[in-house]
Amino acid sequence: MAYKVDHEYDYLFKIVLIGDSGVGKSNILSRFTRNEFCLESKSTIGVEFATRTLQVEGKTVKAQIWDTAGQERYRAITSAYYRGAVGALLVYDITKRQTFENVQRWLRELRDHADSNIVIMMAGNKSDLNHLRAVSTDDAQNLAEREALSFLETSALEAFNVEKAFQTILFDIYQIMSKKALAAQGAASTTSLPHGTTINVSNMSGSVEKKSACCSN
Amino acid sequence: MDIKTMRRGVMENSDGGEDMVLANLIANGDDVGPLVRLAFERGRPEGLLHQLIYVVKQKEAEIEEMCKTHYEEFILAVDELRGVLLDAEELKSELQSDNFKLQQVGSALLAKLEELLESYSVRKNMTEAIEMSKNCIQVLELCVKCNSHISEGQFYSALKTLDLVEKSCTQNIPAKAIKMLIESRIPVIKLHIEKKVCSEVNEWMVEIRSSAKNIGETAIGHAVTVRQRDKEMLEQQRKAEEQSISGLGDLAYTLEAEELEEDSVLQFDLTPLYRACHIHDCLGIQEKFREYYYTNRLLQLNSDLEITSAQPFVESYQTFFAQIAGFFIVEDRVLRTTGGLLVADQVETMWETAVAKMSSLLEEQFSCMESAPHLLLVKDYVTLFGSTLRQYGHEIGTLLDVLNSSCDKYRLLFLEECQQQILDVFGNDPYDQMEIKKQSDYENIVLSFNLQTSDIMPAFPYTAPFSSMVPNACRIVRSFIKGSVDYLSYGIHVNFFDVVRKYLDKFLIDVLNVMLLEKINSGNVTVPQLMQIAANIAVLERACDFYLRHAAQLCGIPVRSVGRPLGTLTAKVILKTSREAAFIALQSLVNTKIDEFMTLTESVNWTPEETNENGNDYIHEVIIYLDSILSPAQQILPLDAVYRVGSGAFEHISNSIVAAFSSDNVKRFNANAVINVDYDLQIIENFAEERFYSAGLGEIDDEVSFKICLVEARQLVNLLLSSHPENFLNPDIWEKNYYTLEIKKVAAILDKFKDSPDGIFGSLANKNAKQSARKKSMDVLKKRLKDFN
């Protein structure tokens, strides 16, 4: 889980990018961290990550974003990839229906390998190619509501909603962290003993409320 | 040198005449150049020099002469010049003085003059600057106008203005900074316009893509209308032909066809595309835009050709095909109206891509479908889709091939469905004759399938000769015909009547007939039910003519065309065979039932001591049973069939009686037993005769009767009771009275015939004598038959 560091930033949040190969995960990463877009489609090999520091609710948050290949042959690194992640951006391509239909499989993978409290946002990338759309916004919105995901349509090419997507994830993560901190304080204050307090994690997971899907344009 | 010259001069003087030549030449003004050049070229110029010296001397003499003459004038002139010099000196002094004065006075004026000149210079510069600024303002105004056009989305005007800006830049702007700035901005603006226009095209593509489904549905709707109208025309034409052949005369009718204004109905806007074409043409990058358009439309098409697995194909296929139809209708319009944005080869490539994808999709979906109506629905829509796009010049043979190859699957599924329906109909049949209460029912049930036995409308309520299975089966067959025709129509086959006919025969033979046979041979049907089945089959045979006529009608073939006989369905013959099978089964069942009653070997006393005129019990039971089957037979079956059932039954009874006498279970019998059987036989013969005439069979053929069917038993009994049994061996008498009896069988029976001696003892003398005589005769017959065998 995320930990607090005294210097340079207040929180370090690990976020993973997942989705089929070719949906634009790497360009989302480069757009957010370096404000760059590369037109050449080059498959990610293994894992890459980049960081960017930004302000969330007055706190300095360092986002460590991990990008992976969506292809099957890199699946061996799955467990390590998800370890410690507090957020996930699940990307599909609005011009390829199959990438949207595989969202369910990626969700199962998250459930199998990632922390159960992970914050998940679904992103329909390549919204600039509206004339080649194969997945309607309504279909995606319905799926997001069913699965309790946040949802936005993005365009890494036009930098549309990329910043907003990460801001939303980080905000949600921060909210959950704050609630956990408050719960921990509450638990500590109720005991008379000065040492040895054990926090029941299952109780806290029950109290976490997943934000309902926010509307896209 | 002078000395030399003097010497040569002396020598020249001695020559005399040559000196005069040069002097003359010079005096005449002639050109002496050639002469001089020639002298030096020869390398001996001395002669020429002498002559020249002579000429010089002459001239000097002349000058001195002139000076002597004008000496006085010279002196006067010099004196006068000295006077002028003095005057000039005086004038110089005056001028210097005036100049000084003038400079003192004019210095102030000079300063003013310098200022004035400076102002003139400034004015000139200002004028140039103003002129330059005017040019700049013109260009900048064009820039503002250009920006205005761009912000309002008027890109053509913007480009025109930009061209003017570019020309003005080249010619009129001396300000380098502005010029460089503008020149650097022009490509940026052009790129901006290009992106804007591409963005508009993308929006148009989104819009046209969402409209494509409606466009396609509208166009396919037109195809439906056209098809419906064609059907109505064909129907009228067919009726007209039939009536003219039947001698009713030609009908005069006119076809009122409304021409659909296709383009006015299929309204969609290509304006953004036209604008984009024009803009890219102005930008000089039409080839780039052409490539962009084609690539993106192809991507859209490929996206449209993907079907979602979230929705069943039978729910999404109409949307799918309408979308594709709309796409190509739009492309056809684009091809025809954009002047080269799209070329025919590209549309052809797109179409081939679409056809390949649609074909494989249809093959896949058809292989998964398990419902004939679904196959028919999709096939129908695909043929409409095909006929719609054929109007736009697209080849649809491949799609029709897919439909054709799926025809067998459709037929099998349809056959299964109809088979299930037939099974239900058979299972639910009450095997009772239908009662028809009113004329509309009669028309629906009887007339519509040509099941009537006469053309006269019967009185109601009317009892039909068939059960409800028959019209229900006819409805199923009719729907099978229609389903087959529906699938084959608008496909590859133009005249598919023979195919439909083959399918129909196969259905009737493999499904209907097989089920009838299964029912007949199932063993769990009763005699009246079998009778009804036989009657039903007779009607179904007659319905075959209706089926064939109906199929021809649906295939568009006039039924009464001269020279085009439809022939007969093979199924008709097969059904006739099945009716025969029904009768055989019926006979078998009746006989089995009769055997249950005709248990003579167990229930009859073959050595009774007394006779019984009332007959044995079995015969009454048989009569009751026969009555129970002949009554419904008269109701259900035609007369020839009634006779067949009755005659079969009576013949079986006769065989049973004879068989009883032959049976190993009967060791011996006496005369009383024979007399009792005679009584039984009389009872059944009376019943047979009465039944024959009450059934109305006597009206058909006087030569036959039910009684005749009992002849074998009658002859046997007659022989056993005869007072002269030895006459059996007389050929003439045999031919007349005993022709049904087999000699070997008779011999075996006679062996069992034993008369009781006790009876003889108690009788009178006359009876004794008579009995003895008959006994002797019988013994003779027995002996002879034994010898004969």
Side-chain angles (χ1 to χ4, degrees):
Chain A
M1 301 295 287
Y3 50 92
K4 189 171 182 180
V5 181
D6 288 331
H7 60 279
E8 191 179 350
Y9 47 79
D10 295 316
Y11 294 96
L12 174 68
F13 291 154
K14 176 180 175 179
I15 296 170
V16 293
L17 281 166
I18 55 174
D20 279 1
S21 172
V23 297
K25 300 187 294 297
S26 295
N27 266 322
I28 285 178
L29 176 66
S30 63
R31 175 65 74 190
F32 179 66
T33 57
R34 300 189 296 275
N35 199 26
E36 293 172 0
F37 181 89
C38 182
L39 274 172
E40 300 172 4
S41 60
K42 186 174 60 177
S43 289
T44 304
I45 300 173
V47 172
E48 296 177 6
F49 78 87
T51 61
R52 179 177 158 185
T53 303
L54 61 162
Q55 299 292 314
V56 176
E57 294 283 296
K59 297 292 185 179
T60 303
V61 173
K62 184 172 184 178
Q64 187 184 77
I65 302 159
W66 292 57
D67 181 24
T68 182
Q71 289 160 354
E72 205 68 32
R73 65 175 180 268
Y74 294 112
R75 204 47 57 88
I77 62 179
T78 299
S79 296
Y81 182 70
Y82 291 113
R83 191 177 306 121
V86 292
L89 187 61
L90 211 173
V91 187
Y92 71 92
D93 179 349
I94 68 162
T95 68
K96 292 191 174 69
R97 176 115 205 152
Q98 190 63 50
T99 64
F100 174 70
E101 293 180 357
N102 284 340
V103 163
Q104 294 283 3
R105 189 167 60 81
W106 288 107
L107 286 174
R108 277 200 305 275
E109 185 144 311
L110 278 176
R111 246 175 252 123
D112 289 343
H113 297 98
D115 186 271
S116 60
N117 291 316
I118 193 169
V119 174
I120 307 170
M121 165 169 271
M122 183 169 67
N125 196 32
K126 307 191 187 182
S127 65
D128 54 287
L129 298 179
N130 194 24
H131 59 293
L132 301 175
R133 176 185 289 274
V135 181
S136 71
T137 307
D138 288 344
D139 283 354
Q141 185 67 50
N142 291 333
L143 177 64
E145 285 171 2
R146 277 202 309 273
E147 300 288 343
L149 313 174
S150 300
F151 168 64
L152 279 177
E153 286 190 344
T154 62
S155 170
L157 174 66
E158 294 181 349
F160 173 68
N161 268 354
V162 171
E163 190 87 10
K164 186 174 178 183
F166 283 104
Q167 285 277 2
T168 304
I169 294 179
L170 294 171
F171 180 82
D172 288 348
I173 296 168
Y174 176 74
Q175 292 286 94
I176 291 174
M177 295 298 296
S178 298
K179 287 179 180 177
K180 287 183 178 178
L182 288 175
Q185 289 176 15
S189 63
T190 54
T191 64
S192 58
L193 296 177
H195 301 293
T197 303
T198 303
I199 301 172
N200 193 336
V201 178
S202 60
N203 288 340
M204 284 193 290
S205 63
S207 65
V208 171
E209 297 174 1
K210 280 204 179 297
K211 184 180 179 181
S212 63
C214 55
C215 298
S216 67
N217 293 329
Chain B
M1 293 298 290
D2 289 340
I3 296 170
K4 282 185 174 181
T5 304
M6 292 296 290
R7 287 178 181 176
R8 287 180 181 176
V10 170
M11 291 173 65
E12 290 295 326
N13 285 334
S14 67
D15 290 336
E18 294 185 2
D19 295 340
M20 298 305 293
V21 171
L22 186 58
N24 288 335
L25 287 174
I26 293 171
N28 290 335
D30 291 337
D31 186 5
V32 298
L35 188 59
V36 172
R37 193 179 301 109
L38 182 62
F40 276 93
E41 284 178 358
R42 287 192 297 179
R44 293 192 292 171
E46 295 83 2
L48 183 63
L49 289 176
H50 288 313
Q51 292 185 37
L52 286 173
I53 289 169
Y54 174 77
V55 169
V56 167
K57 283 183 177 179
Q58 280 186 340
K59 295 300 179 183
E60 284 181 350
E62 289 179 5
I63 291 170
E64 286 179 2
E65 187 66 28
M66 184 176 292
C67 285
K68 286 178 184 175
T69 305
H70 299 290
Y71 175 79
E72 289 295 329
E73 293 176 3
F74 280 150
I75 292 172
L76 290 173
V78 170
D79 187 62
E80 189 171 350
L81 284 174
R82 285 180 62 85
V84 169
L85 180 60
L86 291 173
D87 291 338
E89 287 289 340
E90 187 175 343
L91 183 58
K92 178 182 174 182
S93 173
E94 286 182 7
L95 280 177
Q96 283 180 351
S97 172
D98 288 341
N99 183 48
F100 179 79
K101 289 178 183 177
L102 190 60
Q103 284 193 0
Q104 281 181 334
V105 172
S107 63
L109 186 60
L110 186 59
K112 292 296 182 182
L113 181 61
E114 285 178 355
E115 287 181 3
L116 181 62
L117 288 177
E118 187 175 353
S119 295
Y120 279 140
S121 177
V122 167
R123 187 178 75 169
K124 184 187 174 197
N125 287 344
M126 290 287 286
T127 303
E128 285 183 359
I130 287 171
E131 192 65 28
M132 191 181 297
S133 294
K134 280 184 179 178
N135 288 339
C136 289
I137 284 171
Q138 269 188 345
V139 172
L140 291 177
E141 280 179 350
L142 289 177
C143 290
V144 168
K145 188 184 288 186
C146 184
N147 280 350
S148 174
H149 289 317
I150 290 174
S151 61
E152 293 170 5
Q154 301 168 1
F155 297 121
Y156 175 68
S157 302
L159 283 176
K160 283 299 180 186
T161 307
L162 206 63
D163 277 349
L164 291 178
V165 168
E166 205 160 11
K167 285 175 185 171
S168 298
C169 241
T170 305
Q171 295 167 5
N172 296 338
I173 300 183
K176 289 206 175 212
I178 293 181
K179 184 173 182 177
M180 288 178 67
L181 176 65
I182 289 176
E183 283 180 351
S184 69
R185 293 304 297 173
I186 286 176
V188 175
I189 292 171
K190 286 188 174 179
L191 186 61
H192 174 78
I193 289 175
E194 183 188 343
K195 287 188 174 181
K196 270 284 187 178
V197 170
C198 275
S199 178
E200 283 189 356
V201 168
N202 286 355
E203 286 175 11
W204 173 82
M205 283 189 183
V206 172
E207 186 182 317
I208 203 67
R209 192 182 180 205
S210 63
S211 300
K213 184 174 83 72
N214 292 331
I215 295 167
E217 282 177 353
T218 304
I220 291 173
H222 288 161
V224 173
T225 304
V226 169
R227 183 177 283 187
Q228 188 64 35
R229 195 176 61 216
D230 288 347
K231 277 186 181 179
E232 288 167 2
M233 280 191 216
L234 282 176
E235 183 70 11
Q236 291 182 36
Q237 189 176 354
R238 189 184 57 78
K239 285 179 179 176
E241 288 183 9
E242 288 183 354
Q243 287 174 5
S244 69
I245 289 168
S246 64
L248 295 180
D250 288 330
L251 285 181
Y253 63 91
T254 56
L255 297 176
E256 295 182 0
E258 293 180 2
E259 291 297 332
L260 291 174
E261 290 296 332
E262 177 190 295
D263 282 353
S264 67
V265 175
L266 295 180
Q267 286 284 348
F268 53 91
D269 186 17
L270 296 181
T271 304
L273 196 62
Y274 298 147
R275 278 158 42 90
C277 277
H278 198 38
I279 297 299
H280 281 83
D281 198 16
C282 292
L283 288 168
I285 53 171
Q286 55 267 55
E287 192 56 43
K288 181 181 177 183
F289 180 63
R290 198 174 291 138
E291 182 64 27
Y292 178 84
Y293 177 81
Y294 176 72
T295 301
N296 280 269
R297 285 295 273 167
L298 194 56
L299 285 171
Q300 278 192 321
L301 175 63
N302 285 327
S303 183
D304 289 340
L305 287 165
E306 296 289 332
I307 59 163
T308 172
S309 56
Q311 201 179 9
F313 183 68
V314 289
E315 294 176 21
S316 65
Y317 73 94
Q318 286 196 16
T319 302
F320 174 80
F321 284 108
Q323 183 79 32
I324 304 300
F327 179 91
F328 281 99
I329 290 167
V330 170
E331 293 312 286
D332 178 74
R333 182 82 63 85
V334 169
L335 176 65
R336 287 191 283 107
T337 62
T338 52
L341 169 65
L342 207 54
V343 297
D345 282 352
Q346 285 172 323
V347 177
E348 190 63 29
T349 300
M350 285 179 173
W351 174 247
E352 284 167 5
T353 299
V355 165
K357 182 69 182 182
M358 287 187 288
S359 297
S360 69
L361 176 74
L362 282 173
E363 281 170 2
E364 181 186 339
Q365 293 296 330
F366 280 160
S367 67
C368 295
M369 276 181 197
E370 297 301 329
S371 168
H374 289 165
L375 268 140
L376 181 58
L377 284 174
V378 173
K379 171 263 164 185
D380 215 31
Y381 205 78
V382 171
T383 53
L384 287 165
F385 170 85
S387 66
T388 300
L389 288 176
R390 194 193 273 115
Q391 296 177 41
Y392 293 90
H394 294 299
E395 174 59 47
I396 61 169
T398 305
L399 283 178
L400 296 184
D401 284 340
V402 173
L403 296 182
N404 197 48
S405 62
S406 67
C407 194
D408 280 346
K409 164 134 193 178
Y410 170 76
R411 188 175 55 79
L412 284 177
L413 287 175
F414 199 31
L415 214 66
E416 283 174 15
E417 290 181 11
C418 291
Q419 183 168 340
Q420 184 60 50
Q421 291 172 34
I422 293 282
L423 204 58
D424 292 341
V425 161
F426 281 21
N428 295 327
D429 194 30
Y431 298 104
D432 293 330
Q433 290 178 319
M434 292 188 76
E435 183 171 319
I436 299 171
K437 293 183 168 61
K438 50 189 176 180
Q439 181 168 331
S440 59
D441 288 341
Y442 184 80
E443 287 169 356
N444 284 331
I445 292 170
V446 177
L447 295 182
S448 63
F449 301 115
N450 198 43
L451 304 180
Q452 66 275 10
T453 52
S454 77
D455 291 331
I456 301 171
M457 184 68 64
F460 297 99
Y462 165 77
T463 303
F466 47 81
S467 67
S468 63
M469 169 226 288
V470 168
N472 288 337
C474 288
R475 276 187 206 100
I476 294 167
V477 173
R478 182 171 63 181
S479 74
F480 179 83
I481 295 169
K482 178 149 181 27
S484 299
V485 169
D486 283 347
Y487 203 88
L488 290 164
S489 60
Y490 306 106
I492 291 180
H493 306 282
V494 176
N495 183 3
F496 47 86
F497 171 68
D498 287 338
V499 181
V500 173
R501 176 196 180 136
K502 187 173 64 177
Y503 285 174
L504 176 58
D505 248 337
K506 190 166 177 60
F507 175 65
L508 292 172
I509 293 169
D510 290 356
V511 175
L512 184 66
N513 186 66
V514 164
M515 285 197 176
L516 287 168
L517 289 177
E518 283 176 0
K519 180 61 69 175
I520 286 164
N521 298 322
S522 67
N524 58 8
V525 283
T526 63
V527 166
Q529 289 175 349
L530 269 171
M531 289 180 184
Q532 186 63 64
I533 290 174
N536 287 345
I537 295 175
V539 179
L540 288 173
E541 279 178 53
R542 196 153 64 248
C544 284
D545 293 331
F546 161 76
Y547 300 148
L548 202 55
R549 190 163 58 249
H550 186 62
Q553 180 177 327
L554 290 184
C555 293
I557 296 175
V559 173
R560 285 191 284 269
S561 291
V562 176
R564 294 170 71 185
L566 297 179
T568 306
L569 288 172
T570 307
K572 192 170 185 181
V573 177
I574 301 296
L575 284 172
K576 190 179 182 66
T577 305
S578 296
R579 182 151 63 96
E580 188 67 21
F583 280 122
I584 291 170
L586 175 64
Q587 199 71 71
S588 174
L589 192 56
V590 167
N591 291 351
T592 301
K593 199 67 180 177
I594 287 173
D595 287 345
E596 292 178 13
F597 300 118
M598 298 286 291
T599 55
L600 280 74
T601 58
E602 293 91 17
S603 64
V604 169
N605 183 3
W606 292 98
T607 56
E609 293 185 358
E610 295 178 359
T611 60
N612 182 7
E613 291 184 357
N614 292 327
N616 289 302
D617 289 340
Y618 76 90
I619 202 63
H620 296 288
E621 292 169 352
V622 164
I623 285 172
I624 291 170
Y625 176 73
L626 286 179
D627 188 59
S628 74
I629 64 169
L630 287 176
S631 295
Q634 283 176 240
Q635 291 178 347
I636 296 170
L637 297 173
L639 286 181
D640 58 334
V642 173
Y643 174 76
R644 179 173 177 172
V645 171
S647 62
F650 286 119
E651 189 168 331
H652 189 68
I653 292 170
S654 174
N655 292 339
S656 296
I657 292 173
V658 172
F661 278 105
S662 304
S663 174
D664 291 340
N665 294 325
V666 176
K667 301 301 180 185
R668 59 174 290 173
F669 58 88
N670 60 14
N672 285 339
V674 174
I675 291 168
N676 285 342
V677 168
D678 181 46
Y679 290 143
D680 293 342
L681 204 49
Q682 287 176 36
I683 292 170
I684 194 66
E685 282 171 346
N686 290 334
F687 173 80
E689 200 73 347
E690 183 266 335
R691 263 305 172 174
F692 185 83
Y693 286 102
S694 71
L697 289 166
E699 302 168 8
I700 298 177
D701 192 349
D702 290 333
E703 295 301 321
V704 300
S705 70
F706 283 155
K707 190 173 176 182
I708 287 176
C709 303
L710 297 163
V711 65
E712 188 184 8
R714 167 52 56 197
Q715 288 180 354
L716 179 63
V717 168
N718 285 347
L719 176 64
L720 294 176
L721 296 181
S722 172
S723 54
H724 302 289
E726 78 274 14
N727 290 336
F728 179 77
L729 298 174
N730 186 317
D732 292 335
I733 293 175
W734 182 89
E735 187 68 30
K736 182 182 176 184
N737 296 329
Y738 305 111
Y739 56 86
T740 62
L741 299 177
E742 189 183 328
I743 292 177
K744 183 178 285 187
K745 188 189 290 184
V746 167
I749 293 172
L750 289 179
D751 279 347
K752 303 178 184 180
F753 195 13
K754 310 289 185 187
D755 233 347
S756 176
D758 296 339
I760 297 172
F761 292 148
S763 66
L764 299 174
N766 287 339
K767 191 173 179 182
N768 257 342
K770 187 173 182 182
Q771 288 289 347
S772 296
R774 209 163 67 84
K775 188 174 188 302
K776 281 182 181 178
S777 177
M778 184 64 71
D779 288 340
V780 169
L781 177 58
K782 285 182 182 180
K783 186 174 184 298
R784 288 185 181 177
L785 286 175
K786 194 171 293 184
D787 294 342
F788 182 82
N789 287 330

